[in-house]
């Protein structure tokens, strides 16, 4: 019974959270404190490109970065080629020959995983500001300046930009993920920025202050989600993460459901691992305000809400048919209403995001996100169950054999032309 | 029971279930909104409007040159714009020729008479003078521009040379100059950029000292400045970070070498020097003659007292108030002031960009 009440309470809290963020985005005061920074003594920066078997895409990001509107003499690009077995090394070296600002780092051994590769690459970094991109991203001309601007704030340890799907029109899945991403960035992240809460560092289209990273002990090689891990270690150490909604960058989203399931399973496991590590410290952290602590804790728990919701449905049925005094049909109705509202709250967020983005027709797809939501619910529940089993067998939320878990690429060749066109690139296969 | 009742019930149920997803299926089929969301494609620079305008009109310059030589006025169209090429120096803005014109191109020095309202974008190949109480939609000048008292530019104004705004004139939107902008008392602006921006007393055409070093920089040995990271990139030195819960005050005359973060108000005392950046969750007050060799980030209002100096940038979520003699940035290191509102006294000196998202004023 008590468990059932806790489930109900959690659902209510997350429902309220979704609505609160959405209303803030629609009607609240918007904060973009660093967006107007046009003239400044721009610092020297290093751009790390994480690449593992990226022959199809790595040329595009290097072209885009070379063309970026940032003083070239203050910029070093380090493609971090982690044990690629395809033509990635050859492509990177060809670029480096033509452009002295590219200093390749070819990693041939060491621990697998993006965090381990970045950790090794950091030994080559001489600048205070480090920007990080995955190899399949295509930054726009002004993106680097937009990502660097928040570092003029001495409290900012990390910066996150907005990710915009590029291969939207290819499949039903990509269209649903486009809506989900909009909701996540346009509403969720920006609302947290508006409300001085905990915007999340996302690991790509992002930046980190080297001294802050050193202060917290560098990249955590054992983290399944190095981005969430970094967000919380910085937060606990008194550094803030800034979200730049107008620092937009194209990415590819999964085009096949099995790829999507693997992606969200990986995210859920990483997030849960971070939750186990940081939830207590975040809740007790003296340097954080109450709202920041609450948001930090709730953000850590988002991937647990899948299994919690399933548990709630199960408990409702079991308790109802076993005749337990749960308030009868009223409580079942309440659970149904809360879960429905909870779901609607997330969908409400997506609808608000589509409106803010000015894209009116794609909002028609909203009912189909119920299907994507169900797949995610099952995937994250399965991930949580796997972690519980692993913890039972002594593998307590960590020490896994890490691998490069990267999302399958749909690009088969570079899409930017030789003129390094700054225009919006379109996938050759897209409609 | 009627024999067709089950069929009818099934059909109605199916229709009711299908109804909410019909628009979704229609959109999946039609793909009317299936392209990637557009991301920002420009570099965000203030001069972009003017640059596009200049580039668009560039092909007409030989034609404008001909009009100037022949002292004629001719009408042409380019990419859907109706353009009037003016080669005379006494053009009548009320003439029939201006009807339906979206752009006026002047080959000579341009004089727009007092009280005139020009509902077109203006391109001036030479200098331009806007008379008192006159109004323009937007203008581009290849030389100096002077805006008369109480005159208004509604969208943007760019001059390759110097721009002078006489008292109570206003430029809404973007204001940029290749060399300098001077604003007299009572002027209003929103977004402006120039290597040098000076606020001056009314009718004061004397040049302010612009290239001399500020007091707190001049007093110090250049080598010591370099050692302390006062020159060049403020990120190259790793200063200690001082986080204070509540208010923080740096006493008058003191020097502190640290980045300060105060969760309350921040107060830099008279003549004090902060070698590092400052952030406050509430207001920031920089007392007279004090210096901040770094950025100022503020959750409230920033007050820069008389003769203060900040290398910048200065970012305030509310307003920035500047007293006489305050300086932000330097000619070799332009910077940005960004705030909701800005109120600047006469006698201030800025280098770079000033963004007042709601409204900026020069104190009357």
């Amino acid at each position: 019974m008590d468990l059932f009440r806790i489930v109900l309470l959690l659902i209510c809290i997350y429902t309220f959270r979704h609505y609160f963020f959405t209303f803030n985005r629609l009607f609240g005061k918007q904060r973009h404190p660093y967006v107007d920074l046009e003239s400044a003594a721009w610092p020297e920066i290093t751009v790390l490109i994480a690449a593992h078997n990226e022959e199809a895409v790595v040329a595009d990001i290097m072209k885009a970065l070379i063309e970026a509107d940032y003083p070239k003499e203050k910029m070093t690009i380090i493609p971090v080629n982690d044990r690629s077995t395809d033509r990635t090394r050859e492509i990177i070296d060809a670029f480096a020959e033509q452009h002295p600002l590219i200093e390749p780092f070819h990693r041939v051994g060491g621990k697998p995983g993006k965090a381990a590769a970045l950790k090794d690459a950091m030994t080559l970094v001489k600048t205070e500001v480090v920007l990080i991109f995955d190899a399949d991203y295509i930054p726009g001309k002004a993106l680097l300046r937009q990502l660097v601007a928040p570092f003029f704030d001495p409290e900012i340890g990390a910066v996150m930009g907005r990710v915009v799907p590029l291969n939207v029109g290819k499949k039903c899945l990509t269209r649903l993920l486009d809506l989900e991403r909009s909701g996540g960035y346009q509403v969720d992240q920006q609302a947290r920025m508006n409300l001085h809460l905990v915007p999340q560092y996302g690991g790509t289209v992002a930046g980190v202050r080297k001294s802050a990273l050193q202060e917290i002990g560098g990249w955590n090689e054992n983290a399944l989600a190095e981005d969430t891990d970094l967000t919380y270690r910085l937060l606990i150490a008194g550094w803030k993460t800034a979200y730049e909604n107008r620092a937009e960058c194209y990415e590819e989203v999964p085009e096949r459901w099995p790829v999507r399931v693997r992606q969200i399973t990986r995210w859920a496991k990483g997030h849960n691992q971070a939750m186990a590590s940081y939830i207590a410290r975040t809740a007790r952290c003296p340097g954080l305000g109450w709202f920041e602590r609450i948001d930090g804790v709730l953000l850590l728990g988002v991937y647990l809400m899948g299994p919690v919701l399933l548990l709630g449905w199960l408990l409702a049925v079991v308790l109802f048919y076993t005749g337990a005094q749960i308030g009868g049909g009223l409580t079942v109705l309440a659970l149904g209403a809360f879960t429905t509202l909870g779901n609607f709250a997330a969908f409400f967020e997506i609808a608000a995001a589509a409106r803010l983005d000015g894209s009116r027709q794609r909002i028609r797809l909203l009912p189909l996100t119920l299907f994507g939501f169900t797949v995610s619910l099952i995937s994250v529940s399965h991930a949580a169950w796997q972690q519980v089993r692993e913890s039972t067998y002594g593998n307590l939320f960590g020490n896994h054999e890490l691998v490069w878990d990267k999302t399958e690429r749909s690009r088969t060749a570079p899409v930017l032309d030789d003129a390094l066109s700054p225009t919006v690139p379109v996938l050759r296969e897209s409609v | 029971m009627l024999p067709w009742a089950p069929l009818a019930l099934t059909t109605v149920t199916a229709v009711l279930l299908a109804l909410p997803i019909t628009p979704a299926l229609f959109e999946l089929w039609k793909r009317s909104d299936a392209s990637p969301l557009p991301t920002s494609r420009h570099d965000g620079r203030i001069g972009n409007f003017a640059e596009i305008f200049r580039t668009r009109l560039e092909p007409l310059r030989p034609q404008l040159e001909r009009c100037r030589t022949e002292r004629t006025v001719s009408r042409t169209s380019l990419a859907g714009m109706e353009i009037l090429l003016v080669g005379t120096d006494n053009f009548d803005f009320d003439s029939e020729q201006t009807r339906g014109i979206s752009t006026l191109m002047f080959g000579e020095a341009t004089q727009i008479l007092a009280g005139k309202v020009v509902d077109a974008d203006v391109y001036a190949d030479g200098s331009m003078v806007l008379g008192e109480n006159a109004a323009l939609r937007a203008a581009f000048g290849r030389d100096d521009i002077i805006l008369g008292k109480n005159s208004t530019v509604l969208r943007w104004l760019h001059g390759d040379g110097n721009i002078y705004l006489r008292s109570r004139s206003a430029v809404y939107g973007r204001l940029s100059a290749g060399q300098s902008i001077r604003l007299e008392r009572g002027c209003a602006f929103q977004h402006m950029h120039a290597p040098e921006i000076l606020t001056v007393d009314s009718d004061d055409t004397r040049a302010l000292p612009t290239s001399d070093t500020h007091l707190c920089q001049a007093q110090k040995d250049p080598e010591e400045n370099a050692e302390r990271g006062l020159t060049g990139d403020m990120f190259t030195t790793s200063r200690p970070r001082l986080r204070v819960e509540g208010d923080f005050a740096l006493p008058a005359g003191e020097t502190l070498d640290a980045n300060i973060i105060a969760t309350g108000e921040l107060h830099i005392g008279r003549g004090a020097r902060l070698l590092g950046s400052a952030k406050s969750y509430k207001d920031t007050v920089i007392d007279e003659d004090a210096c901040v060799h770094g950025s100022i980030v503020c959750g409230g209002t920033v007050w820069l007292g008389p003769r203060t100096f900040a290398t910048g940038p200065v970012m305030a979520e509310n307003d920035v108030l500047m007293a006489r003699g305050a300086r932000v940035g330097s000619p070799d290191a332009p910077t940005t002031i960004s705030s909701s509102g800005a109120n600047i006294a006469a006698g201030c000196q800025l280098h770079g960009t000033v963004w007042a998202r709601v409204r900026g004023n020069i104190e009357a």
Side-chain angles (χ1 to χ4, degrees):
Chain A
M1 271 300 294
D2 287 344
L3 184 63
F4 187 60
R5 289 199 180 99
I6 290 168
V7 169
L8 286 180
L9 180 68
L10 285 173
I11 292 168
C12 289
I13 289 169
Y14 277 91
T15 302
F16 174 76
R17 177 177 174 270
H18 279 302
Y19 275 115
F20 188 64
F21 285 173
T22 310
F23 282 117
N24 173 271
R25 273 304 271 136
L26 290 175
F27 308 114
K29 185 185 173 190
Q30 305 303 306
R31 281 184 74 233
H32 302 281
Y34 315 108
V35 77
D36 299 331
L37 203 66
E38 185 177 324
S39 314
W42 296 101
E44 290 186 10
I45 59 167
T46 303
V47 185
L48 299 179
I49 307 168
H52 176 67
N53 291 333
E54 302 283 13
E55 63 177 6
V57 295
V58 75
D60 281 337
I61 186 167
M62 285 191 291
K63 280 179 194 171
L65 287 171
I66 290 163
E67 185 65 6
D69 180 30
Y70 200 87
K72 296 288 174 286
E73 70 281 4
K74 292 191 170 183
M75 185 173 151
T76 304
I77 301 169
I78 303 183
V80 183
N81 168 29
D82 186 29
R83 298 163 302 126
S84 297
T85 52
D86 61 358
R87 291 180 58 243
T88 303
R89 182 187 188 121
E90 189 187 324
I91 296 165
I92 290 171
D93 286 344
F95 266 87
E97 269 180 31
Q98 288 176 20
H99 304 281
L101 77 166
I102 297 179
E103 296 177 8
F105 172 54
H106 298 294
R107 193 168 179 260
V108 290
K111 219 168 183 175
K114 182 177 165 184
L118 291 177
K119 187 172 187 175
D120 286 354
M122 282 302 287
T123 57
L124 302 174
V125 173
K126 299 181 188 78
T127 61
E128 174 71 342
V129 176
V130 186
L131 302 184
I132 296 125
F133 289 90
D134 284 349
D136 60 320
Y137 284 65
I138 303 176
K141 277 191 85 169
L143 185 68
L144 299 189
R145 279 195 293 132
Q146 288 167 332
L147 289 176
V148 171
F151 288 110
F152 282 95
D153 180 341
E155 197 180 24
I156 297 298
V159 173
M160 181 64 202
R162 182 181 173 183
V163 168
V164 179
L166 178 62
N167 52 339
V168 183
K170 296 191 89 178
K171 302 273 174 62
C172 176
L173 172 61
T174 56
R175 301 203 65 185
L176 297 182
L177 290 178
D178 173 56
L179 288 173
E180 255 189 56
R181 293 282 199 280
S182 279
Y185 286 97
Q186 182 66 278
V187 171
D188 229 62
Q189 286 269 56
Q190 182 58 44
R192 280 193 229 124
M193 183 70 190
N194 290 344
L195 296 160
H196 298 272
L197 300 177
V198 187
Q200 198 181 351
Y201 169 82
T204 180
V205 195
V208 65
R209 191 189 291 267
K210 190 180 165 188
S211 56
L213 189 62
Q214 285 169 338
E215 188 185 315
I216 60 169
W219 302 100
N220 179 0
E221 293 169 301
N222 295 318
L224 294 169
E226 92 287 348
D227 43 8
T228 311
D229 184 88
L230 191 78
T231 306
Y232 280 88
R233 284 193 296 139
L234 287 172
L235 186 71
I236 291 163
W239 294 97
K240 305 290 183 207
T241 298
Y243 172 65
E244 284 277 271
N245 196 44
R246 293 176 197 171
E248 300 156 320
C249 188
Y250 284 119
E251 66 147 359
E252 283 188 29
V253 289
E255 294 181 7
R256 299 191 304 118
W257 284 101
V259 178
R260 168 63 180 162
V261 168
R262 279 201 298 278
Q263 184 188 54
I264 197 160
T265 301
R266 191 174 75 239
W267 288 353
K269 284 184 174 180
H271 212 86
N272 292 342
Q273 184 194 42
M275 185 194 67
S277 304
Y278 305 117
I279 195 164
R281 277 191 275 171
T282 305
R284 287 198 305 262
C285 187
L288 299 178
W290 275 105
F291 290 114
E292 247 179 322
R293 289 188 213 187
I294 292 167
D295 183 54
V297 167
L298 291 177
L299 182 61
L300 282 171
V302 284
Y303 282 98
L304 270 195
M305 282 311 292
V308 165
L309 204 56
L310 286 181
L311 179 67
W313 288 342
L314 183 72
L315 282 175
V317 173
V318 169
L319 292 173
F320 183 77
Y321 283 107
T322 54
Q325 296 298 308
I326 58 167
L330 188 64
T331 307
V332 177
L333 182 67
L335 178 68
F338 280 136
T339 47
T340 310
L341 279 172
N343 296 344
F344 277 162
F347 300 149
F348 189 44
E349 231 176 39
I350 291 170
R355 180 184 155 77
L356 290 167
D357 279 329
S359 52
R360 299 300 171 89
Q361 302 304 316
R362 65 188 67 190
I363 201 59
R364 293 174 177 175
L365 298 172
L366 196 63
L368 297 185
T369 53
L370 190 64
F371 181 63
F373 173 78
T374 309
V375 171
S376 299
L377 190 75
I378 294 165
S379 304
V380 300
S381 301
H382 184 244
W385 173 242
Q386 277 183 326
Q387 283 182 301
V388 170
R389 277 178 47 204
E390 284 163 6
S391 70
T392 312
Y393 293 106
N395 200 1
L396 192 62
F397 289 94
N399 301 324
H400 303 264
E401 182 57 36
L402 293 171
V403 290
W404 260 97
D405 265 320
K406 66 169 201 175
T407 304
E408 194 176 270
R409 309 284 185 239
S410 59
R411 257 181 285 168
T412 53
V415 294
L416 291 186
D417 60 23
D418 289 336
L420 307 177
S421 163
T423 54
V424 179
V426 179
L427 284 180
R428 283 180 183 164
E429 300 87 347
S430 37
V431 176
Chain B
M1 190 176 70
L2 295 169
W4 45 268
L7 182 64
L9 183 65
T10 308
T11 308
V12 169
T13 308
V15 167
L16 285 175
L17 283 173
L19 212 54
I21 60 165
T22 304
L25 296 174
F26 186 71
E27 173 56 26
L28 268 185
W29 174 56
K30 290 292 285 183
R31 292 168 174 267
S32 60
D33 190 10
S35 51
L37 287 172
T39 59
S40 177
R41 292 167 67 177
H42 59 78
D43 56 13
R45 293 193 187 280
I46 188 173
N48 282 350
F49 280 19
E51 201 49 51
I52 291 167
F53 187 67
R54 181 212 302 261
T55 310
R56 196 177 288 170
L57 295 180
E58 201 60 34
L60 295 178
R61 288 198 70 209
Q63 214 173 321
L64 181 67
E65 190 57 42
R66 219 167 24 248
C67 288
R68 182 162 50 189
T69 314
E70 295 166 4
R71 319 288 297 168
T72 56
V73 174
S74 79
R75 187 178 180 130
T76 185
S77 60
L78 178 76
M81 290 190 297
E82 286 297 312
I83 300 163
L84 202 63
L85 305 165
V86 183
T88 60
D89 54 2
N90 55 349
F91 178 71
D92 177 10
F93 285 90
D94 295 326
S95 70
E96 277 295 306
Q97 291 168 303
T98 58
R99 186 161 294 172
I101 289 293
S102 65
T103 305
L104 287 161
M105 262 185 106
F106 289 91
E108 295 281 333
T110 311
Q111 173 90 36
I112 297 171
L113 298 177
K116 192 67 60 192
V117 177
V118 182
D119 185 24
D121 297 343
V122 174
Y123 176 103
D125 212 33
S127 61
M128 185 167 80
V129 177
L130 189 65
E132 282 186 26
N133 298 307
L136 268 182
R137 194 166 69 184
F140 173 91
R142 293 176 67 89
D143 203 342
D144 294 350
I145 298 174
I146 298 173
L147 266 60
K149 288 178 183 175
N150 281 317
S151 60
T152 308
V153 178
L154 295 172
R155 291 168 61 187
W156 58 264
L157 176 69
H158 173 87
D160 281 348
N162 304 290
I163 296 180
Y164 197 109
L165 276 72
R166 295 276 182 199
S167 59
R168 295 183 305 282
S169 56
V171 178
Y172 301 103
R174 298 163 175 229
L175 165 64
S176 56
Q179 292 175 21
S180 74
I181 299 171
R182 288 182 190 207
L183 304 100
E184 287 183 0
R185 287 177 181 272
C187 288
F189 64 91
Q190 281 186 312
H191 183 185
M192 59 179 172
H193 173 90
E196 184 176 71
I197 300 170
L198 304 170
T199 58
V200 296
D201 289 309
S202 194
D203 294 327
D204 182 0
T205 50
R206 288 168 300 164
L208 286 179
T210 58
S211 54
D212 60 329
T213 317
H214 187 263
L215 183 68
C216 70
Q217 285 180 304
Q219 281 175 342
K220 294 292 163 186
D221 177 16
E223 278 181 24
E224 188 203 354
N225 283 347
E227 258 176 43
R228 288 182 154 179
L230 301 187
T231 54
D233 181 353
M234 72 173 77
F235 291 83
T236 50
T237 51
S238 51
R239 292 196 169 87
R241 195 171 61 121
L242 182 64
R243 190 183 163 89
V244 180
E245 297 298 325
D247 298 346
F248 175 83
L250 180 63
E254 295 280 318
T255 298
L256 178 66
D257 191 355
N259 292 323
I260 302 174
I261 298 150
T263 60
E265 290 184 5
L266 181 69
H267 189 165
I268 309 291
R270 183 178 178 174
R273 302 177 77 202
L274 175 63
L275 312 181
S277 296
K279 177 173 186 178
S280 67
Y281 285 22
K282 295 179 182 169
D283 295 347
T284 292
V285 177
I286 315 290
D287 270 347
E288 55 189 308
D289 296 317
C291 308
V292 177
H293 292 270
S295 54
I296 300 173
V297 182
C298 176
T301 294
V302 173
W303 185 74
L304 291 162
R307 299 175 304 283
T308 52
F309 172 69
T311 57
V314 178
M315 295 178 270
E317 295 201 21
N318 291 342
D319 297 341
V320 169
L321 312 175
M322 292 177 69
R324 190 177 186 87
R327 297 178 183 203
V328 177
S330 56
D332 54 344
T335 193
T336 301
I337 296 175
S338 157
S339 60
S340 176
N343 199 320
I344 304 173
C348 291
Q349 189 174 318
L350 319 163
H351 301 273
T353 306
V354 184
W355 254 107
R357 285 185 292 275
V358 179
R359 187 183 167 93
N361 292 304
I362 310 304
E363 227 167 63

